[in-house]
């Protein structure tokens, strides 16, 4: 799946400013360490303090030394390379020329969490992250290079969500203790109550304290030179990411406006998926068997492939819109940018709480098929 830039409307700050201490921090992670093993850097801090921007900048700096960089995204609300609701490990091999424009990429591995906050199911959330990190360790952090001399160890950047109080704090501590990064970058703002505790707050007597802790201030400052939060409309950004994702169903130069995209999706031939070939899982609710198909119609689902692992965690390969259901022919009609060669392997539909943006359902002059009770089969 080709990378796709999101609309410029998502850009919260047209003039990204990289302070000297940010540059120094990124340079120290990239160059003040041996090439083997490469650094594992985790970025944390309060909501909207600039974690994602620093993570993008750090990836660019690391790419000046390494051919590729692994990126573990644990922020299901504002992910960097995927649509919302997905936890992913992505391998990046190209510089990001504009730090203000997120870019969708096909991850190496991903799980569909199905919500925009880990509070829905912290246990499953941590299990997904730990599994992704274990995959990185197995594939890109070889303990014995003689086993596969052609493999190159990759540095890892871990971006974390801004929920750093209460249960969110406990989740962050669990992530830090499991990953044991070589470098931790903590971004602070002037309002101390919103910041994480000082020092290596996640360590205790049973944990390894050999870590490079770097504390920096948010790049956004007020008129008194105080580091402040960057105000963003989270719901708008999520809707834009979802629309950018499904825009990949079409050539890159088409459907640039919301109205054009809504019309294109309404007329786009869906894939026919036999109901008998799919295992339907509702992640956060129980649905009576008689209501399963009604609950799926006009929703976004995670498209997944069953895993042989003991954890039975299906790998997510993308998202789909269930456009309609033909119960007489036992067919689901699905719109997705996932290539047919991968889609034919999908055997699990995961339904969570990621919804179709209302902007796509309320376009003047466009009758959305997702709002219709009766859907005709499409050849």
């Amino acid at each position: 799946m080709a990378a796709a830039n999101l609309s410029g409307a998502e850009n919260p700050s047209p003039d990204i400013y990289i302070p000297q201490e940010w540059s120094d921090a990124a340079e120290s992670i990239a160059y003040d360490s041996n090439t083997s093993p490469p650094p594992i850097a985790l970025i944390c801090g309060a909501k909207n303090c600039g974690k994602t921007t620093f993570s993008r900048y750090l990836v660019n700096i690391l790419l000046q030394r390494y051919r590729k960089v692994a990126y573990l995204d644990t922020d299901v609300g504002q992910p960097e390379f995927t649509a919302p609701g997905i936890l992913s490990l992505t391998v990046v091999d190209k510089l990001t020329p504009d730090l203000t424009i997120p870019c969708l990429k096909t991850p190496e591995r991903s799980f569909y969490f199905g919500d925009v906050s880990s509070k829905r199911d912290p246990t499953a959330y941590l299990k997904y992250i730990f599994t992704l990190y274990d995959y990185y360790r197995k594939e890109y952090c070889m303990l014995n290079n003689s086993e596969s001399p052609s493999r190159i160890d990759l540095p890892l950047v871990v971006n974390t969500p801004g929920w750093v109080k209460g249960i969110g704090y406990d989740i962050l501590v669990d992530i830090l203790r499991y990953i044991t990064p070589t470098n931790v970058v903590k971004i602070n703002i002037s309002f101390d109550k919103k910041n994480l505790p000082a020092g290596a707050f996640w360590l205790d007597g049973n944990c390894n304290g050999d870590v490079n802790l770097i504390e920096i201030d948010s790049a956004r400052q007020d008129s008194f030179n105080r580091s402040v939060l960057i105000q963003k409309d989270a719901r708008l950004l999520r809707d834009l990411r979802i629309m950018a994702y499904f825009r990949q169903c079409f050539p890159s130069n088409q459907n640039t406006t919301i109205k054009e995209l809504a019309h294109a999706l309404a007329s786009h031939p869906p894939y026919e998926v036999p109901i008998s070939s799919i295992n339907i899982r509702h992640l956060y609710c129980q649905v009576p068997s008689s209501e399963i198909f009604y609950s799926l119609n006009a929703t976004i689902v995670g498209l997944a492939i069953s895993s042989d692992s003991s954890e039975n965690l299906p790998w997510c390969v993308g998202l789909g819109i269930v456009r309609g259901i033909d119960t007489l022919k036992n067919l689901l009609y699905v719109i997705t940018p996932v290539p047919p060669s991968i889609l034919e392997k999908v055997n699990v539909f995961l339904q969570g709480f990621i919804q179709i943006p209302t902007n796509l359902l309320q376009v003047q002059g466009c009758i959305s098929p997702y709002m219709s009770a009766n859907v005709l089969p499409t050849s």
Side-chain angles (χ1 to χ4, degrees), residues 4 6 11 46 54 57 110 126 146 166 173 176 213 226 228 230 266 281 294 310 316 320 332 354 370-371:
L6 275 66
N11 175 9
F54 181 84
Y57 178 71
S110 64
L126 287 171
S146 62
V173 168
L176 281 159
L213 174 61
R226 296 176 301 191
V228 295
I230 301 170
R281 298 187 192 177
Y294 292 105
S310 59
C316 177
L332 300 168
I354 304 301
Y370 331 117
M371 306 294 282

Side-chain angles (χ1 to χ4, degrees), residues 288-308:
S289 57
S290 60
E291 303 293 326
I292 286 180
F293 298 134
Y294 292 105
S295 70
L296 279 182
N297 197 28
T299 65
I300 289 178
V301 293
L303 308 176
I305 301 173
S306 294
S307 170
D308 296 330

Side-chain angles (χ1 to χ4, degrees), residues 9 233 235-243 247 257-263 265 355-366 368 370-371:
D233 186 332
R235 167 166 282 201
L236 173 62
L237 297 187
R238 285 194 289 270
D239 284 354
L240 286 169
R241 287 173 186 269
I242 292 172
M243 289 187 283
R247 194 175 282 119
T257 68
I258 293 176
K259 184 175 183 179
E260 289 172 342
L261 178 61
H263 278 279
L265 287 172
Q355 300 178 339
I356 300 174
T358 54
N359 288 340
L360 291 180
L361 302 175
Q362 300 175 348
V363 174
Q364 188 174 3
C366 177
S368 173
Y370 331 117
M371 306 294 282

Side-chain angles (χ1 to χ4, degrees), residues 27-331:
E27 295 279 344
S28 69
I29 294 171
Y31 294 103
D32 291 357
S33 63
N34 296 325
T35 55
S36 182
I40 297 175
L42 183 143
I43 321 302
C44 57
K47 193 177 297 183
N48 297 337
C49 68
K51 295 183 299 298
T52 299
T53 301
F54 181 84
S55 297
R56 290 181 208 156
Y57 178 71
L58 177 58
V59 168
N60 278 357
I61 297 299
L62 287 167
L63 284 172
Q64 296 174 11
R65 184 178 186 185
Y66 302 90
R67 291 193 329 197
K68 298 179 180 180
V69 176
Y71 191 97
L72 177 54
D73 203 333
T74 69
D75 189 347
V76 288
Q78 301 290 337
E80 175 65 8
F81 296 122
T82 67
I86 294 176
L87 293 158
S88 65
L89 178 72
T90 303
V91 175
V92 183
D93 59 3
K94 293 182 180 179
L95 294 169
T96 302
D98 189 342
L99 297 178
T100 66
I101 304 178
C103 185
L104 293 172
K105 297 181 184 293
T106 302
E108 185 79 9
R109 281 287 188 271
S110 64
F111 289 112
Y112 184 64
F113 183 71
D115 203 1
V116 297
S117 171
S118 59
K119 67 177 65 176
R120 183 75 61 178
D121 189 346
T123 301
Y125 174 81
L126 287 171
K127 185 184 295 184
Y128 292 150
I129 292 173
F130 295 168
T131 304
L132 289 170
Y133 178 68
D134 291 344
Y135 179 87
Y136 159 78
R137 293 283 297 181
K138 177 183 176 182
E139 298 293 328
Y140 300 112
C141 192
M142 304 294 290
L143 297 178
N144 184 0
N145 283 334
S146 62
E147 297 177 3
S148 181
S150 61
R151 285 278 176 84
I152 300 177
D153 290 358
L154 299 186
L156 176 68
V157 175
V158 184
N159 188 28
T160 60
W163 185 28
V164 296
K165 299 298 180 183
I167 297 176
Y169 173 81
D170 297 334
I171 291 173
L172 178 60
V173 168
D174 286 341
I175 294 173
L176 281 159
R177 290 179 177 175
Y178 191 87
I179 293 178
T180 60
T182 59
N183 301 269
V184 173
V185 178
K186 188 164 55 170
I187 304 179
N188 298 317
I189 61 171
S190 295
F191 190 36
D192 288 337
K193 288 186 177 180
K194 290 186 177 292
N195 289 328
L196 286 161
F201 57 88
W202 66 98
L203 296 180
D204 59 22
N206 299 321
C207 296
N208 181 11
D210 186 17
V211 60
N212 177 28
L213 174 61
I214 303 172
E215 299 203 35
I216 58 178
D217 291 329
S218 171
R220 178 64 68 88
Q221 296 181 333
D222 61 15
S223 58
F224 299 101
N225 292 324
R226 296 176 301 191
S227 296
V228 295
L229 298 175
I230 301 170
Q231 299 301 321
K232 295 187 290 188
D233 186 332
R235 167 166 282 201
L236 173 62
L237 297 187
R238 285 194 289 270
D239 284 354
L240 286 169
R241 287 173 186 269
I242 292 172
M243 289 187 283
Y245 178 81
F246 285 103
R247 194 175 282 119
Q248 295 176 112
C249 293
F250 313 100
S252 58
N253 60 343
Q254 293 184 5
N255 311 314
T256 56
T257 68
I258 293 176
K259 184 175 183 179
E260 289 172 342
L261 178 61
H263 278 279
L265 287 172
S267 58
H268 190 59
Y271 292 103
E272 294 182 348
V273 180
I275 293 174
S276 60
S277 67
I278 297 297
N279 177 16
I280 299 170
R281 298 187 192 177
H282 294 83
L283 297 177
Y284 304 113
C285 62
Q286 293 184 341
V287 177
S289 57
S290 60
E291 303 293 326
I292 286 180
F293 298 134
Y294 292 105
S295 70
L296 279 182
N297 197 28
T299 65
I300 289 178
V301 293
L303 308 176
I305 301 173
S306 294
S307 170
D308 296 330
S309 69
S310 59
E311 298 285 352
N312 191 26
L313 300 176
W315 294 113
C316 177
V317 297
L319 301 182
I321 294 175
V322 180
R323 170 177 169 169
I325 301 170
D326 190 327
T327 54
L328 296 179
K329 292 186 176 181
N330 287 320
L331 292 174

